[in-house]
Amino acid sequence: MTFDVAHLSAELDAHLADADDALASGFPGERASRQPVHTVYVPADRYDTGLVSQWGSEALATLDEHGGDDAAYAAVLGVPADLAGEVVPRVRAKLASEPIEDLRVDFEDGYGNRSDEQEDAAVDAAAAALRSSLAAGGAAPFHGIRFKSFEAPTRARGVRTLARFVEAVAVDGRLPDGFVVTLPKVTSVDQVEAMVVACGRLEAGLGLESGAIGFEIQVETPQSILGPDGTALVARMVHASAGRCTGLHYGTYDYSASCGIAAAYQSMEHPAADHAKAVMQVAAAGTGVRLSDGSTNLLPVGDRDRVHAGWALHARLVRRSLERGYYQGWDLHPAQLPSRYAATYAFYREGLPAAAERLRNYVGQVDSGVMDEPATARALADFVVRGLDCGAVDDAEVLELTGIDRARMDVLARRAR
């Protein structure tokens, strides 16, 4: 060949160098760590050292009182009858061992406006309770706080709570593993940039490693989705976070109310909610920022009929979110845990046989009726890893079905630790 291909390649490399760097830094891919299946929000003045185990006990008590046998419970939640014997014992084991995967101590809407003295005292008490539960091994594996927003009326109080709590839980220049904070009601890219500044100042002032403080952006306002210039501000927010943003959490009721939706129709499945979450999903894709759906405030409490209705609704919404690629959501009451885990476990167990067969064929290069691409194989492995992480499936059955051990499955899912 007389044409100088090497020279052209070098020219293109130089031309695309900035674009290559921007792609690598802005879209690093999925995080390797486990993602919790939910976040539980608890008002700060109701949080104490034993809260996690208390929620588990209350959830089990509700299940004992209203669940009936495995088949009856599964039927209420829409779990296939042939999975009842696999799902329900796992739900009970989960509620006894790790009822809450992610806990957020709430100093925002759930706590309300108090005097500075009252909120300072609540910060100190909650931080002490978290330290105590961590020391005793009773804390949720993921935990943190939601503080008041960076809107002008609440900014000073939010920063004060954030700084006081972080200082109280930091030990020897380190924050607890799994610690994250939530920035609510974000209305501008500037607020995200301000949060980056605040994190940097706190780290320097408290002797923490740079980048130690990560934060979630709570999408509760239409301004986060569509800016005045017509752009999707949530995408710019992710990239303005200097790599500190760990998640985008949809706020069902604040967002719906801001869109003028009547209270009776505010829901995780309203078309306005689906639009917002679709924009969030595209904005987060490839960035390592994870998604969380919102909550339902129709709780499974009261008599058996009300509990069953609440469970059925919650389970359906959880399943709906999972099918749409939202692997996390909010829970507001202990009685929602049985439906959260039942719906989640059924989702992974129902999908495991087909995913396992496709992975076995892909790894073994077996001809089959489905020709999977590497990206699809990665998605299949990620599905299996998520099921393993939450307890829906276990290592032994995955190995038996796929011939792939956990270490290799993590590699396929790009979750290698």
Side-chain angles (χ1 to χ4, degrees), residues 318-326 347:
V318 170
R319 176 70 183 230
R320 185 179 190 273
S321 297
L322 289 169
E323 291 176 353
R324 284 157 176 76
Y326 271 73
F347 174 76

Side-chain angles (χ1 to χ4, degrees), residues 263-300:
Y265 300 98
Q266 294 174 4
S267 166
M268 294 161 58
E269 57 186 343
H270 191 281
D274 284 342
H275 170 259
K277 288 181 285 188
V279 174
M280 291 164 60
Q281 193 167 43
V282 174
T287 65
V289 173
R290 288 166 167 172
L291 301 169
S292 175
D293 211 331
S295 61
T296 176
N297 60 8
L298 298 174
L299 303 179

Side-chain angles (χ1 to χ4, degrees), residues 4 43 134 179 280 314 323 390 408:
D4 192 342
L134 286 165
F179 184 79
M280 291 164 60
H314 188 230
E323 291 176 353
C390 72
R408 191 178 182 195

Side-chain angles (χ1 to χ4, degrees), residues 153-186:
T154 56
R155 187 180 304 140
R157 182 62 254 185
V159 171
R160 179 166 168 166
T161 291
L162 172 65
R164 193 178 186 103
F165 198 95
V166 170
E167 182 176 14
V169 298
V171 177
D172 298 328
R174 287 180 54 84
L175 289 170
D177 292 338
F179 184 79
V180 66
V181 299
T182 305
L183 177 66
K185 293 183 174 61
V186 182

Side-chain angles (χ1 to χ4, degrees), residues 18 36 80 101 118 143 174 267 288-289 393 404 414:
D18 289 345
E101 291 196 356
Q118 286 178 301
H143 42 262
R174 287 180 54 84
S267 166
V289 173
V393 301
I404 304 169
R414 297 191 180 176

Side-chain angles (χ1 to χ4, degrees), residues 20-63:
D20 291 341
D21 290 344
L23 181 64
S25 62
F27 299 91
E30 298 304 314
R31 295 178 184 268
S33 59
R34 166 188 175 188
Q35 181 179 7
V37 302
H38 69 170
T39 299
V40 165
Y41 277 77
V42 177
D45 55 348
R46 298 182 192 172
Y47 174 66
D48 58 33
T49 303
L51 183 132
V52 172
S53 62
Q54 177 188 337
W55 269 54
S57 296
E58 291 183 16
L60 279 168
T62 302
L63 185 51

